[in-house]
Amino acid sequence: MNINWKNVAIFMAVIGPGIITANVDNDAGGITTYTLAGANFGYALLWSLIPITIALMIVQEMVARMGVVTGKGLADLIRENFGVKTTFYIMIALIIANFGNVLAEFAGVAAGGEIFGISRYLLVPVVAVFVWFLVVKGNYKSTEKIFLWACLFYLTYIVSGFMSKPDWTDVAKNTILPITNFSMAYVMMLIGLIGTTIAPWMQFYLQSSIVEKGVKVEEYKYSKWDVYVGIIMTDVVAFFIVLTSAIIFFKYGPNYVQTAEQAAMALAPLAGKYATYIFGFGLLNASIFAASILPISTAYSVCEGIGFESGVNKKFKEAPQFYGLYTLLIVLGATIILLPGVSLIGIMYISQVVNGILLPFILTYMLLLVNKKKLMGTYVNTKTQNIIAWGSVIIVNILTVVMVLSFIFPNWFA
Amino acid sequence: MIYFSTLQGKQILDLNGRNVGSLMDFTIAYDGKSNAEIDSFITRINGERRKIPQNFVLKFDQQIHLNVPFAKIPIINDDETSLSLVNNILDMQIVDTEGMKVVRVNDIMLSVKDTKFCVTSVDVGFKGFLRRLGVTNIDSMPIASSMKEKIIPWEFVAPLEIDKKKIQLNIPKTKLSKLHPADLADIMEDLSHRERAMIFRSLDEEFAAKTLVEAEPEVQKSALRSLRPEKIADIMEEMLPEQAADIISIMPKRTASEILGLISPLDAEDIREIMEYGKETAGGLMSTNYIAISEESTVDEVIQYLRDISPDSHNIYYIYVVGKDNVLKGVLSLRNLIVSKGHEIIENIMFKNIISVSVNAKKEDIANLISKYNLLALPVVNNKGQLEGIIRSDLVLELVMPKNWKTNKFMKKKRQPRQKEINTLSIIKTPERSIENIEKKIEHKKASTTAERKKKKGKENKK
């Protein structure tokens, strides 16, 4: 087999944004949502992962393409093409969704810490301070590699899944045939799954990473592979989290899983009594990794859109809004988690539902941008891409409406 | 003074009060003046973007009134070949050439005189952002006092978003070239890859070369990745060979040979020569840009030669004298050249006790020699004594700084406002005095016997 080494070299040079975004996607919110999906609904939601993965591939490829062709970030494009008002509303939506995620990350830190018997009142502030300094003053890039390697932890779910010997025909049936269930809980979980897999922050972050890498149009096809490989890795893991949780927890009835320690049991077939520790480690790694990315990415995007100075190489006086927003997200996030009576699992799950609700709003503008000939030239969307993407927007909007209605009128859908 | 945001959407009425359309955009003349005159209005008539030239405006109050009836409005479709406010300025990033940053335009300010509109400045502050959002009474809000107005006069605005294939700018140089290359290189650090490439492409090659030389390695790599090889070669031909050699050394090997192939053979030869020596030795640091004359020529011949070649200001202070086979024999200062009689032979008036270094000398030795003898330049010779190049004294600072001083995180740079006309000549000491100093020092040491002192006095009487 002739390996074209030049192509390999280019691939190695552009790789990164897709893989990182995908791995951070399986953060505390992700792990929790996938676990609850399996625990509360068994195999009934497995089918949804395939269309969600396809939609994610389409959406992320669009975003990467925009980054390569225009060389600008998503917030930048929105501002330049839709003006101040639209930018303002999208930034508000982004801050809300991303803040929810930041809360989820700190919740994950608290939950993971408690598995090891560390009080959240100690661990959460320490992690908050650590993350702040790492990103602002420290060498984030080398730490990123450590985080990534630690993500190998997710393989435990895959192995666990095989070791628990499910009925594979049953699994296959549920993966291919969709189940229609309009109870509010089901619809909400569906939105949560969509929101955690296709999160709004991912689009902004991926496009910015691609722009920073300076990927040229000629190299774009390699970036596509970076994105696709990342997504497949992530969604296979997601599938197995749902699967293993279904196997272990579904028999106990809905709402059985209330704590991270219980959630850890999904790894029991593989790890036995060490399941909690492995899970705890993975959860901590995922949470700290995401906490190093989300707040700063939010600050960058908002400043980019509004026109504030940004950059960690600037002093506080030179970029006050940037540092202010970043610090506020971390401080507020950490503080709320430490309030008494806060349900960690609840936060981790609901934040992903918020992602799902806000997704169509942001996706709509992305679609308008990616179809603009003036902006993308010959790289506008194909018909198929448009159908799938617009389809996703419509479907998620319908689901949101159904969810709200079934919340207000529970009897309609019982 | 009006804000463009309040003008957008205003109704345009013809002479009879009939509604023509709403104001979408303005096109402006980009001619380097401090205020940009509006040359036409853009509106939509029957679904088409149309241009209405400025001279069709009668008066302007709550609406814009034209001085012709609807039928007489010329049908000019907007082909987007002029600079327009909405496409190129509003909500776009521009370079503030005074504050030396990249900022985003939130609103545009115009002045109106009779019916003539002029762009006077742009608003890049948050107040402008709020005004666009529709927040009307900003000043009465409590936070208003903490928000400063950030207005940039139009003469300091350099737009970045200009599609050069479509828009012809009628001034040859952009406003960016009024900046000092080092300042522009600084601004580049904040820009994305694409913006850096846009700027480099818009500069003429000489300015681009100066900027690239001053830029941080990250900016250099970014520019090299995004420009076409032919353009890079053109830019590098404008650099001194040792500067080009530095830049080539950061490129991947394949690109480097491709670019060397595109550079004119003479320049490429110079660059290759320099690249053969180690980067930290005299050979790798030297410049091949010096003046050398034969020891057998006369003063008149040399002066004529200098007139013919019109050397750059920094080359002319030391004129190196070589014998057969380019062997370094001495150095001549401009002063001695001028005060000597025209028929004198160089060999007799030159300074023979010349200080030089070998091509393999290390940078520490070079720095020591230059500072010890207060030299402006140090000649570099090979093992046969042949002159290969010179090292200028302004290189000494870079030689002695620690390796990564440019990218050192702790040396966070403070943005300086634009320097007015940096005069490099004022920093360098007068060269003639330096040579005389050395001459005096050495002669003084030698003159230990009264006999030699007498000789010296005799010589001085001759002069």
Side-chain angles (χ1 to χ4, degrees), chain B residues 12-21 46 64 66 69-71 73:
Chain B
I12 302 179
L13 307 175
D14 79 346
L15 189 60
N16 304 321
R18 175 177 163 183
N19 193 345
V20 173
N46 298 332
I64 301 170
L66 300 179
F70 188 86
I73 300 177

Side-chain angles (χ1 to χ4, degrees), chain B residues 2-51:
Chain B
I2 343 168
Y3 291 105
F4 179 64
S5 53
T6 57
L7 285 179
Q8 262 180 318
K10 270 210 191 304
Q11 291 307 312
I12 302 179
L13 307 175
D14 79 346
L15 189 60
N16 304 321
R18 175 177 163 183
N19 193 345
V20 173
S22 58
L23 178 65
M24 285 167 59
D25 197 354
F26 285 135
T27 61
I28 52 175
Y30 189 65
D31 48 16
K33 291 205 205 118
S34 58
N35 284 349
E37 274 188 25
I38 303 290
D39 56 30
S40 68
F41 295 56
I42 307 287
T43 183
R44 205 176 279 276
I45 301 181
N46 298 332
E48 299 270 330
R49 267 177 81 96
R50 295 264 280 271
K51 261 188 193 173

Side-chain angles (χ1 to χ4, degrees), chain A residues 114-177:
Chain A
E114 270 159 16
I115 286 182
F116 292 102
I118 310 176
S119 158
R120 65 173 76 167
Y121 297 101
L122 174 63
L123 191 57
V124 168
V126 164
V127 167
V129 169
F130 168 72
V131 162
W132 195 96
F133 276 100
L134 177 68
V135 170
V136 172
K137 306 265 181 200
N139 193 344
Y140 169 73
K141 277 293 161 187
S142 22
T143 338
E144 190 177 71
K145 295 194 171 65
I146 303 178
F147 283 133
L148 272 179
W149 280 109
C151 284
L152 282 174
F153 137 83
Y154 291 122
L155 294 174
T156 51
Y157 273 107
I158 302 181
V159 177
S160 215
F162 282 105
M163 285 182 70
S164 49
K165 298 200 206 312
D167 175 0
W168 287 110
T169 36
D170 202 12
V171 172
K173 232 197 318 181
N174 278 292
T175 312
I176 302 181
L177 299 175

Side-chain angles (χ1 to χ4, degrees), chain A residues 81-102:
Chain A
N81 289 280
F82 299 117
V84 167
K85 284 211 168 96
T86 310
T87 308
F88 181 68
Y89 293 126
I90 293 189
M91 291 298 114
I92 299 281
L94 187 66
I95 293 179
I96 294 175
N98 285 12
F99 182 62
N101 280 311
V102 171

Side-chain angles (χ1 to χ4, degrees), chain A residues 5 38 102 111 168 180 261 282 340 354:
Chain A
W5 287 110
V102 171
W168 287 110
T180 48
E261 274 204 75
V354 170

Side-chain angles (χ1 to χ4, degrees), chain B residues 214-253:
Chain B
E214 298 290 340
E216 299 238 328
E218 205 221 301
V219 174
Q220 288 174 334
K221 285 195 197 134
S222 172
L224 293 170
R225 270 186 62 112
S226 356
L227 295 173
R228 286 179 299 114
E230 294 81 11
K231 178 83 179 179
I232 299 178
D234 284 341
I235 293 179
M236 296 193 62
E237 281 172 5
E238 297 293 328
M239 293 180 193
L240 295 174
E242 64 275 15
Q243 292 169 328
D246 274 345
I247 305 255
I248 290 196
S249 62
I250 65 171
M251 291 185 204
K253 279 214 163 93

